[in-house]
Amino acid sequence: DAKTTQPPSMDCAEGRAANLPCNHSTISGNEYVYWYRQIHSQGPQYIIHGLKNNETNEMASLIITEDRKSSTLILPHATLRDTAVYYCIVRALRLTGANNLFFGTGTRLTVIP
Amino acid sequence: DTEVTQTPKHLVMGMTNKKSLKCEQHMGHRAMYWYKQKAKKPPELMFVYSYEKLSINESVPSRFSPECPNSSLLNLHLHALQPEDSALYLCASSQGRAGEYEQYFGPGTRLTVT
């Protein structure tokens, strides 16, 4: 799987949009971009994933650049409960080995009142 | 229902003990996973089961022994652990192994080896 690069930490004011970037410059055509988050001492929570097109669900939006080398997770109105570590992960469509959800170091998002 | 349950929530065991961690899901998922997470580190994959068969073992020491009795249950048997095995153990499940399927995680079992 392609590796990802994320900033180690970010702050966001409550009520504002949180934009979390991720670089995955070595991504290949059959690899999905996934976002998970982990609130302190809990299991990771699935947020959203996409292949080529932008995606939106009730939690967030995922914007993938046309060349697919980077993406941005957008939390439209951040709340204090969104404070967590956010992981950007690239997964191949077909699993031929140990490429299940390689978690990088993630971005620690702190939502400030 | 997108819930994965894990028991126990906390476990303290000595190095000579034998214990088991349990994981259950009722979403009809056919792939199940064990991850290990040390403090302030990301989760690391240990095992993957697909259709109740072990498909990936990430070079995990034999003192960790996974078992998948049926499609809803996943166990992790522990024996002769070391203090450095203390960690949060996470179970996850997904509809299939392929990359298009998201994984759902349980809350984890926090293991302390004394």
Side-chain angles (χ1 to χ4, degrees), chain B:
Chain B
D1 180 11
T2 58
E3 190 178 23
V4 175
T5 59
Q6 290 188 243
T7 55
K9 285 187 169 40
H10 301 274
L11 178 62
V12 179
M13 60 184 291
M15 290 189 284
T16 58
N17 291 158
K18 284 185 181 181
K19 296 286 185 183
S20 296
L21 309 185
K22 296 186 186 302
C23 173
E24 191 166 3
Q25 56 87 15
H26 295 287
M27 295 177 277
H29 288 173
R30 305 314 301 261
M32 296 187 76
Y33 311 77
W34 280 115
Y35 288 83
K36 174 182 178 179
Q37 185 174 25
K38 301 282 281 183
K40 298 188 188 303
K41 297 289 187 183
E44 294 180 354
L45 181 69
M46 298 175 74
F47 302 104
V48 180
Y49 272 83
S50 180
Y51 289 85
E52 300 156 50
K53 288 185 169 48
L54 182 65
S55 60
I56 293 177
N57 176 342
E58 277 296 286
S59 302
V60 179
S62 60
R63 57 185 184 269
F64 296 91
S65 176
E67 178 197 19
C68 190
N70 60 56
S71 59
S72 299
L73 293 174
L74 187 65
N75 298 322
L76 186 63
H77 303 297
L78 314 172
H79 173 56
L81 294 193
Q82 304 296 311
E84 59 264 28
D85 296 320
S86 298
L88 181 68
Y89 288 84
L90 295 160
C91 174
S93 71
S94 62
Q95 191 173 340
R97 275 185 48 194
E100 65 198 281
Y101 300 120
E102 63 270 26
Q103 294 186 5
Y104 293 92
F105 284 80
T109 293
R110 189 161 298 282
L111 174 68
T112 302
V113 181
T114 62

Side-chain angles (χ1 to χ4, degrees), chain A residues 76-94:
Chain A
H77 305 286
T79 71
L80 298 179
R81 286 177 294 182
D82 292 322
T83 292
V85 177
Y86 286 77
Y87 294 102
C88 169
I89 300 155
V90 172
R91 285 189 72 191
L93 176 62
R94 291 284 172 246

